[in-house]
Amino acid sequence: MPLLLLALLIGTLLYMWLSRRNSTLTRACRWRLDRTGGPNHYVCAACGAHMDPPAGKEPRDCLRPRKN
């Protein structure tokens, strides 16, 4: 039983790591589809950034300006 729980924990952490490693999105990123700018135009509700990713894709990167 403890080995099953350990395997489940490791599997969950591995899944979380693999799903996040190709993205720079943070909690502050709030991408919303805005069809007034085009069929695939996204606007970030948090910082106002605009992005037009390829058709069928959603934004995977944060465009928030970095603070120095």
Side-chain angles (χ1 to χ4, degrees):
M1 187 65 163
L3 290 176
L4 181 62
L5 290 175
L6 182 62
L8 183 62
L9 175 67
I10 290 173
T12 303
L13 293 175
L14 182 64
Y15 170 76
M16 290 170 53
W17 177 72
L18 287 174
S19 66
R20 279 289 288 168
R21 72 178 189 177
N22 290 329
S23 174
T24 62
L25 296 178
T26 65
R27 286 185 180 187
C29 295
R30 301 284 184 249
W31 289 107
R32 303 290 186 252
L33 183 61
D34 181 18
R35 295 205 187 261
T36 60
N40 202 32
H41 183 76
Y42 286 85
V43 177
C44 180
C47 69
H50 296 265
M51 177 181 256
D52 292 308
K57 302 280 184 177
E58 293 183 0
R60 299 273 307 159
D61 297 316
C62 181
L63 300 178
R64 180 182 299 269
R66 295 186 182 216
K67 296 179 181 177
N68 291 331

